Amino acid sequence: MIFQRHPLLISMFSKLQRFVQPIRSMSTITIPNSKQPAHRLTMIPGPIEFSDDVLDAMSTPSQAHTSPDFIPVFQEVLQNTRKLFKSSNPTSQPIVISASGSLGWDIVGANFLNRGEKTLVFSTGFFSDRLADALSYYTETDVDVVKAPLGESVPLSEVEKALSAKSYDVVTITHVDTSSAVISDVEAIAKKIRSIQPEALVVVDAVCSAGVEDIQFDNWGLDYVLTASQKAVGVPAGLSISIASERAVKKAFAKKRPTSYYANLQKWIPIMQAYEHGKGAYYATPPIQLIHAYRVSLREILEQGLDNRFAKHAETSNKFKDNLESLGLKLVAKREFGANGLTAVYFPKSINGPDLLKKISEKGVTLSTGIYAGIATEYFRVGHMGVSAVGKDRHDVDIVFRLIKETLEELEK
Amino acid sequence: MIFQRHPLLISMFSKLQRFVQPIRSMSTITIPNSKQPAHRLTMIPGPIEFSDDVLDAMSTPSQAHTSPDFIPVFQEVLQNTRKLFKSSNPTSQPIVISASGSLGWDIVGANFLNRGEKTLVFSTGFFSDRLADALSYYTETDVDVVKAPLGESVPLSEVEKALSAKSYDVVTITHVDTSSAVISDVEAIAKKIRSIQPEALVVVDAVCSAGVEDIQFDNWGLDYVLTASQKAVGVPAGLSISIASERAVKKAFAKKRPTSYYANLQKWIPIMQAYEHGKGAYYATPPIQLIHAYRVSLREILEQGLDNRFAKHAETSNKFKDNLESLGLKLVAKREFGANGLTAVYFPKSINGPDLLKKISEKGVTLSTGIYAGIATEYFRVGHMGVSAVGKDRHDVDIVFRLIKETLEELEK
């Protein structure tokens, strides 16, 4: 492998030297102008690095879930969750529940599907396949999966073919599959679904996209979009965040027998509506501190402007991907299918992959292994979402690139 | 109603005056020797007040779930969760998942029950009934419920009668029902179940008991005990905490088709085992910051000594209940069935109940409304768990009593 030492990179490296320096002595990174203690930088595709204010909100003293201190916080969070998904339709329903993102899959299965109903999953990797698996628990029948070629999303011709062959109750799109770093064109696929099978509910797994990629819930005719707090939304793990359309809500309420207590929208929706209208309600205790942190993060995201934020993420992502390619490294997702919140990179054949991640970890940065079936050991993943990608005074992504370059050189000696 | 102003109480009140003073001006309470900002004191049966160190751990900077910073933290948490339940049997399985406590009900339904199987619930209130409801989603058949008289637990003779009449796959005991503040004698009931129906799995809902009441998982022959972080365990809401016996685990693995993604123990158990053995693993992202906070709280609890902690809670509870009765107030749970982590108190007939809670809230303390079917509007609930009950330099329970007394006097004027 040839390292191309062009002047631009050299200048960037010397500018970064002062941030990288402390790594060598203590395996942690000091973030400039931050109250956070020096720590190993978390540059995986979630959990991501958090802003100081988000972390501060995590240690909010105790509040009752129905106290006047908390109700307006949850109210604001639900109102701003609509904005995150660009929904202004009052019939759409934001839902925030204490859980990891995958609870959203149970919400789909337990509310929008009945035994024997048909589901179609457009798969771009590991997480799409898991979603298919999760839904089959509820339909108790096989879920049809159309797999994209590695590094690409499902071609629209394949989308059309599958939708023309058989009728479906629910069709799912994984916006960004965190295993392949491939982004799917949700707008175009949703349009196809709505035109060929207008009755099918359109479900989008936005776990690795909400907050970094554009999502237009109303305009694109989506029925349910789910995400998690620890990705581009920039909040510690523990919140399942989603939004449902009017017809999705109707289907949930038409269900005769609940098939989950914790994922039962017939119970959750009145709770969410109460809080959004400034009243407390109880089904299960909400995670007060995480909701405070999410409020702070939503404010930061909306103050920045969603479209600005998406553009900034794309800029950071493109620069990082360009830099990696300039080293001769090969990306898993073809550039035209590359997500902006993470990059999946093949290890060069000349080195032992795990050594690279281990050495970079020893230098104070955590990167992620591969997880896509068949090539899991051949690549690694770097997350670049939230403050790491768009934060003022943050050079996290440049630090990561510098470390990758430097460590590859060491390993190839 | 007659207020008995005996010397002991008067002396206590004057001692407390300095803590109660700030309430009047700003509706918040300053906790002595605490880093926490003055805040409305949360004296409900969960979420409870937290220690400074627990709150500090909530703002731990980001860590990857498989990073060497986090793995030993989760490892310690799982090891100490065994201790919390007094289990030293290596075949028992602690489980910590991102969720509210009620996910534990889905864990029971989705893993320990199959369609058509029989369940018996000993009910001491609202939460026992909800558990029965949740399990019926999974068995798709009626759950048998034996209801205790209001203010009491199910008599052992009734336990025996129900168990002799019909065979059950799962029998549940709600250790403390948060609606009635009644405690059940888990040891005695479990013994009856094991002697009459040794094959039945014994499930204990310990949401409002773990960390405040004694639970001997091994000695009492329990199969699954579930709790939540925001109760006596003293951690912000967001963790479902539980422990399963070897035969419960076997039943979970014998299940042919999963009926929940998020509550599927066939997937979670290998993850918990990996972390407890010092290795990272992935099924859904754990809530890193909450697990850090739980580690701190478990250390505090175990350093204090479990039995000491239980005794201290009982002492605080008895004193508070004595004080309330000395005002002529009537408790919902008869004293011999009274839980130590909370007290349910009837409003005196001479006042309007909501006014009492509203005025106390305006003075800086949040108490809880009633929730037991039929009497919900006739009583209120006060939580006294964790730092509020046993914390050094904390006078929270005395402050609450002072406010109840003072506010009742104002309302009765």
Side-chain angles (χ1 to χ4, degrees):
Chain A
M1 203 180 77
I2 296 153
F3 289 98
Q4 299 175 359
R5 294 190 167 276
H6 59 70
L8 181 82
L9 288 179
I10 290 168
S11 126
M12 195 185 73
F13 293 157
S14 59
K15 232 173 61 191
L16 285 171
Q17 206 56 39
R18 63 204 151 112
F19 301 118
V20 181
Q21 209 53 53
I23 296 167
R24 300 177 195 244
S25 51
M26 53 181 197
S27 292
T28 56
I29 305 240
T30 302
I31 298 165
N33 305 320
S34 163
K35 293 191 300 183
Q36 296 175 48
H39 61 277
R40 191 186 305 261
L41 215 56
T42 302
M43 297 299 289
I44 66 171
I48 67 169
E49 287 286 310
F50 310 116
S51 79
D52 287 3
D53 290 345
V54 164
L55 281 181
D56 274 355
M58 286 293 286
S59 49
T60 301
S62 190
Q63 293 177 351
H65 41 296
T66 53
S67 91
D69 303 313
F70 178 66
I71 292 169
V73 174
F74 204 178
Q75 181 179 34
E76 180 183 325
V77 152
L78 290 165
Q79 287 164 345
N80 282 344
T81 296
R82 293 179 185 277
K83 293 181 189 160
L84 179 72
F85 295 113
K86 293 190 173 172
S87 177
S88 57
N89 190 337
T91 61
S92 66
Q93 181 58 58
I95 302 152
V96 177
I97 301 178
S98 173
S100 303
S102 22
L103 183 75
W105 300 346
D106 284 289
I107 291 177
V108 175
N111 296 279
F112 309 138
L113 282 166
N114 294 296
R115 213 170 278 162
E117 286 190 343
K118 301 285 175 279
T119 317
L120 175 63
V121 168
F122 293 118
S123 171
T124 44
F126 177 89
F127 291 94
S128 318
D129 294 343
R130 278 219 169 166
L131 165 56
D133 199 35
L135 298 186
S136 75
Y137 302 163
Y138 293 91
T139 60
E140 297 186 26
T141 178
D142 285 346
V143 167
D144 290 339
V145 179
V146 177
K147 279 187 195 287
L150 174 59
E152 300 176 23
S153 71
V154 176
L156 279 178
S157 58
E158 292 288 314
V159 169
E160 206 168 318
K161 208 174 109 189
L163 289 164
S164 306
K166 189 168 150 187
S167 170
Y168 292 101
D169 302 282
V170 163
V171 182
T172 80
I173 310 161
T174 301
H175 197 177
V176 171
D177 197 296
T178 321
S179 70
S180 58
V182 162
I183 185 166
S184 291
D185 185 341
V186 170
E187 182 179 12
I189 299 174
K191 204 172 165 187
K192 278 269 178 248
I193 301 168
R194 298 302 293 250
S195 78
I196 302 173
Q197 295 202 24
E199 301 301 316
L201 293 182
V202 181
V203 166
V204 177
D205 181 331
V207 165
C208 206
S209 72
V212 55
E213 313 283 2
D214 194 21
I215 299 171
Q216 303 188 20
F217 188 77
D218 296 354
N219 290 344
W220 298 352
L222 310 179
D223 288 300
Y224 185 67
V225 178
L226 65 101
T227 192
S229 51
Q230 80 279 6
K231 305 278 181 179
V233 165
V235 179
L239 291 178
S240 152
I241 299 162
S242 60
I243 187 163
S245 73
E246 187 179 18
R247 58 185 204 150
V249 169
K250 270 193 186 147
K251 182 140 192 204
F253 276 92
K255 194 149 181 172
K256 285 194 194 91
R257 210 185 46 78
T259 43
S260 164
Y261 180 88
Y262 200 60
N264 183 2
L265 289 189
Q266 289 185 12
K267 299 293 184 173
W268 279 117
I269 286 174
I271 305 296
M272 298 298 143
Q273 290 177 340
Y275 276 102
E276 199 171 350
H277 289 93
K279 281 182 191 166
Y282 173 75
Y283 183 58
T285 309
I288 313 284
Q289 281 65 18
L290 279 164
I291 289 172
H292 273 272
Y294 181 32
R295 173 169 74 157
V296 171
S297 189
L298 278 169
R299 283 185 179 185
E300 289 172 354
I301 290 169
L302 295 171
E303 270 164 27
Q304 185 179 19
L306 280 173
D307 292 334
N308 270 342
R309 182 175 172 89
F310 303 148
K312 205 104 195 259
H313 272 102
E315 190 187 315
T316 302
S317 173
N318 284 326
K319 181 182 158 201
F320 182 59
K321 288 174 168 68
D322 286 347
N323 282 343
L324 291 170
E325 289 188 328
S326 78
L327 297 183
L329 293 169
K330 206 186 145 211
L331 309 185
V332 172
K334 290 186 182 162
R335 283 303 287 269
E336 64 267 42
F337 299 103
N340 291 310
L342 81 163
T343 302
V345 198
Y346 285 103
F347 295 116
K349 293 218 183 334
S350 51
I351 65 146
N352 174 33
D355 287 350
L356 178 70
L357 300 192
K358 191 168 167 266
K359 273 184 166 282
I360 291 175
S361 167
E362 284 164 7
K363 293 172 181 179
V365 172
T366 309
L367 303 181
S368 201
T369 55
I371 190 175
Y372 190 102
I375 59 161
T377 58
E378 295 170 27
Y379 75 104
F380 65 104
R381 295 173 298 155
V382 179
H384 32 80
M385 292 176 252
V387 285
S388 286
V390 304
K392 215 174 144 285
D393 296 327
R394 301 280 299 225
H395 300 266
D396 305 13
V397 182
D398 293 331
I399 291 174
V400 169
F401 176 63
R402 176 74 184 86
L403 282 179
I404 291 172
K405 185 181 178 300
E406 168 197 289
T407 312
L408 282 175
E409 284 172 346
E410 287 164 19
L411 286 171
E412 289 185 332
K413 251 177 210 160
Chain B
M1 202 181 73
I2 297 153
F3 288 95
Q4 298 175 359
R5 294 189 167 275
H6 58 71
L8 182 83
L9 289 180
I10 290 167
S11 125
M12 195 185 70
F13 294 158
S14 59
K15 232 173 59 189
L16 285 172
Q17 205 59 36
R18 63 203 153 113
F19 301 117
V20 181
Q21 208 55 51
I23 297 165
R24 302 178 191 244
S25 51
M26 52 178 196
S27 290
T28 56
I29 305 238
T30 302
I31 298 166
N33 306 320
S34 163
K35 293 191 301 183
Q36 295 175 50
H39 61 277
R40 191 186 306 261
L41 215 55
T42 303
M43 297 298 288
I44 66 171
I48 67 169
E49 287 287 310
F50 309 117
S51 79
D52 287 3
D53 290 343
V54 164
L55 281 181
D56 274 354
M58 286 293 286
S59 49
T60 301
S62 190
Q63 294 177 351
H65 41 297
T66 53
S67 91
D69 302 314
F70 178 65
I71 292 169
V73 174
F74 204 179
Q75 180 178 34
E76 180 184 324
V77 152
L78 290 166
Q79 287 165 344
N80 282 344
T81 296
R82 293 178 185 276
K83 293 181 189 160
L84 179 73
F85 295 114
K86 294 191 173 172
S87 178
S88 57
N89 190 337
T91 61
S92 66
Q93 182 57 58
I95 301 152
V96 176
I97 301 178
S98 173
S100 302
S102 21
L103 182 75
W105 301 346
D106 285 288
I107 291 177
V108 175
N111 296 279
F112 309 140
L113 282 166
N114 294 295
R115 214 171 277 162
E117 286 191 341
K118 302 285 175 280
T119 315
L120 175 62
V121 168
F122 293 117
S123 170
T124 44
F126 178 88
F127 290 93
S128 319
D129 294 344
R130 278 218 167 166
L131 165 57
D133 199 35
L135 298 186
S136 75
Y137 302 164
Y138 292 92
T139 60
E140 297 185 26
T141 178
D142 286 348
V143 167
D144 290 338
V145 179
V146 177
K147 278 185 195 288
L150 174 58
E152 300 177 23
S153 70
V154 176
L156 278 179
S157 58
E158 291 289 313
V159 169
E160 204 167 319
K161 208 172 110 188
L163 288 165
S164 307
K166 190 168 151 186
S167 171
Y168 292 100
D169 302 282
V170 163
V171 183
T172 80
I173 310 162
T174 300
H175 197 177
V176 170
D177 197 295
T178 321
S179 71
S180 59
V182 162
I183 185 167
S184 291
D185 185 340
V186 170
E187 182 180 9
I189 298 173
K191 203 171 165 187
K192 278 268 178 251
I193 301 168
R194 297 301 294 250
S195 77
I196 302 173
Q197 295 203 22
E199 301 300 315
L201 293 182
V202 181
V203 167
V204 177
D205 181 331
V207 165
C208 204
S209 74
V212 54
E213 313 282 2
D214 194 20
I215 299 172
Q216 303 188 19
F217 188 76
D218 296 353
N219 291 345
W220 298 352
L222 310 179
D223 289 299
Y224 185 67
V225 178
L226 65 102
T227 193
S229 52
Q230 80 279 8
K231 305 277 179 178
V233 165
V235 179
L239 290 179
S240 153
I241 299 162
S242 61
I243 187 165
S245 72
E246 186 178 16
R247 59 186 203 149
V249 169
K250 270 193 185 149
K251 184 143 190 201
F253 276 92
K255 195 149 180 171
K256 284 195 196 89
R257 211 186 45 78
T259 43
S260 164
Y261 181 88
Y262 200 60
N264 182 1
L265 290 190
Q266 289 185 11
K267 299 293 184 174
W268 278 116
I269 287 174
I271 305 297
M272 297 299 142
Q273 289 176 341
Y275 276 103
E276 200 171 350
H277 289 94
K279 282 182 191 165
Y282 174 75
Y283 183 58
T285 308
I288 313 284
Q289 281 65 19
L290 279 163
I291 289 172
H292 272 273
Y294 181 32
R295 174 170 73 158
V296 170
S297 190
L298 278 169
R299 282 186 180 185
E300 289 172 355
I301 290 168
L302 295 172
E303 269 163 27
Q304 185 178 18
L306 280 174
D307 292 334
N308 270 344
R309 183 177 172 90
F310 302 149
K312 205 105 194 258
H313 272 103
E315 190 188 316
T316 302
S317 173
N318 284 327
K319 181 181 157 199
F320 182 60
K321 287 173 167 70
D322 287 345
N323 284 343
L324 292 170
E325 288 189 327
S326 79
L327 298 182
L329 293 170
K330 204 185 146 212
L331 309 185
V332 173
K334 291 187 182 160
R335 284 301 288 268
E336 63 269 40
F337 299 103
N340 291 310
L342 81 164
T343 302
V345 198
Y346 285 104
F347 295 117
K349 293 219 181 337
S350 51
I351 65 145
N352 174 33
D355 287 349
L356 178 69
L357 299 194
K358 190 167 167 270
K359 272 184 168 280
I360 291 176
S361 168
E362 283 163 7
K363 293 173 181 178
V365 172
T366 309
L367 302 181
S368 201
T369 56
I371 192 175
Y372 190 103
I375 59 161
T377 59
E378 297 171 27
Y379 75 103
F380 65 104
R381 294 173 298 155
V382 179
H384 31 79
M385 292 175 253
V387 287
S388 287
V390 304
K392 216 174 144 286
D393 297 326
R394 301 281 298 225
H395 301 266
D396 305 13
V397 182
D398 294 330
I399 291 173
V400 170
F401 176 64
R402 175 77 184 82
L403 283 179
I404 291 172
K405 184 182 179 299
E406 168 197 290
T407 313
L408 282 174
E409 285 172 345
E410 287 164 21
L411 287 170
E412 290 187 332
K413 249 177 209 160

